[in-house]
Amino acid sequence: MSADLWSAIATGCERAPAAAALLWHDPTAGVDVTLRYADLAERAADLAAGLRDLGVGAADRVAVALPNSPDVVALLLATLRLGATYVPLNPAYTAEEVGWIAENVGARVVVAHTALRDALAASPAHSGRVVDAVAPGSAPPAPVTIAPSAPALIVYTSGTTGRPKGAVLSHRALLENLRAILRGWEWTSADRLLLTLPCSHLHGLALGVLGSLLHGSSLVLRARFAAEEALADLERFGCTAMFGVPTMYNRLVQLPTGAIHRHDLARVRLWACGSAPLLATTFERFRELFGTALVERFGMSEGGFMLAA
């Protein structure tokens, strides 16, 4: 069994290259886009070469402050492919916040949306390379050997009592953690997850993206959460699961009953909630309206996902 995240995902890409990996609605073109596992592996290779051309190598850190998109997923895989460490950052952070974390973590490259890139460029907060996109490189980088103990992600805490702190998560820790929790949920390649959580947080990035890809299942990724749009996507794409936070489920139970019942949600077998306390009233109202119970899970940046029930 593969001992690092990239090798484990690459093995799945080779095993089922034509299987759907990521479904995305392109707002510019107004069309749905499906990336197969082969497509995702190719994008990861191209962007790994692009990161290498920017000076990124094994053990370097790549900080990414971008909204949800297929490029975020490909950048994550590209970073892991190089043996580098991925540092997810909230794209709503200020230039000062991103600059401080980038300096603290020693990021070789920061990839940020255009407005944030421009603000960083005008600020002395970060002295490294800042780009708003990574161009494909000229040739895929050679495979590297990644130690199971090597860091895969550095996730910064919220910083409610001071400066954020970087929690280092190794390949081994994430692999064992994700395999265990999804094994408990009987996750298979037949599952399809609706993910509207931000990929800048561990919940969406690790459990949602990495967990799905590790198990060869498919992912319907959205830029944001909108309650009725989520129900429509669950039905239209035949999703079997949704991962959310209490705020999302609060909005779902506030929808008119007719808006809920007009959607066929029979295929959804798992509604998971985490990242914050869930009110008992929301739990009971959801069970009343949707005919099933929410599954709650507990985790933290420093330790991954520790409890699911």
Side-chain angles (χ1 to χ4, degrees):
M1 187 176 288
S2 299
D4 69 87
L5 285 162
W6 168 249
S7 296
I9 293 172
T11 298
C13 293
E14 293 168 1
R15 184 168 52 242
L22 180 64
L23 295 89
W24 169 259
H25 181 75
D26 184 338
T28 304
V31 297
D32 291 326
V33 176
T34 299
L35 292 179
R36 304 170 303 157
Y37 271 89
D39 301 326
L40 201 53
E42 183 178 356
R43 282 202 185 193
D46 287 344
L47 294 185
L51 287 171
R52 177 206 56 205
D53 293 348
L54 291 172
V56 177
D60 283 328
R61 283 82 185 268
V62 177
V64 177
L66 294 174
N68 286 7
S69 75
D71 282 342
V72 169
V73 177
L75 268 174
L76 167 64
L77 298 183
T79 302
L80 297 175
R81 191 185 193 280
L82 286 171
T85 305
Y86 188 90
V87 185
L89 299 177
N90 190 331
Y93 280 169
T94 65
E96 192 277 333
E97 289 170 317
V98 170
W100 184 88
I101 292 176
E103 284 295 305
N104 182 257
V105 81
R108 173 75 68 175
V109 170
V110 176
V111 188
H113 58 81
T114 304
L116 187 52
R117 180 208 61 186
D118 292 346
L120 280 166
S123 165
H126 173 55
S127 57
R129 187 76 176 269
V130 183
V131 298
D132 62 1
V134 176
S138 54
V144 298
T145 300
I146 302 170
S149 59
L153 303 180
I154 297 180
V155 180
Y156 272 76
T157 60
S158 58
T160 51
T161 59
R163 285 288 196 180
K165 299 173 181 64
V168 182
L169 299 173
S170 71
H171 285 263
R172 179 192 291 119
L174 284 165
L175 275 170
E176 295 302 324
N177 190 213
L178 294 172
R179 284 169 174 161
I181 194 168
L182 291 177
R183 184 166 58 245
W185 286 345
E186 299 181 342
W187 200 268
T188 73
S189 60
D191 279 299
R192 174 166 289 177
L193 171 68
L194 174 64
L195 187 67
T196 62
L197 292 164
C199 292
S200 53
H201 295 286
L202 193 65
H203 191 172
L205 185 72
L207 190 56
V209 175
L210 290 175
S212 293
L213 298 180
L214 278 172
H215 287 73
S217 57
S218 54
L219 179 71
V220 178
L221 182 65
R222 289 293 177 261
R224 62 182 181 86
F225 173 80
E228 195 157 3
E229 288 177 13
L231 297 184
D233 281 339
L234 287 166
E235 178 182 22
R236 184 158 68 100
F237 293 101
C239 295
T240 63
M242 174 177 157
F243 296 167
V245 296
T247 301
M248 295 177 177
Y249 290 111
N250 288 340
R251 292 177 184 171
L252 285 175
V253 301
Q254 289 168 11
L255 287 172
T257 303
I260 295 171
H261 292 164
R262 76 166 58 105
H263 298 288
D264 180 2
L265 304 175
R267 291 203 60 193
V268 186
R269 67 175 188 84
L270 175 65
W271 305 81
C273 184
S275 299
L278 177 71
L279 293 174
T281 51
T282 302
F283 181 89
E284 293 299 337
R285 182 59 174 160
F286 185 90
R287 180 157 53 185
E288 176 186 338
L289 288 171
F290 290 83
T292 189
L294 287 169
V295 172
E296 290 194 84
R297 64 114 199 113
F298 169 81
M300 59 193 301
S301 302
E302 297 87 343
F305 308 99
M306 300 173 182
L307 177 68

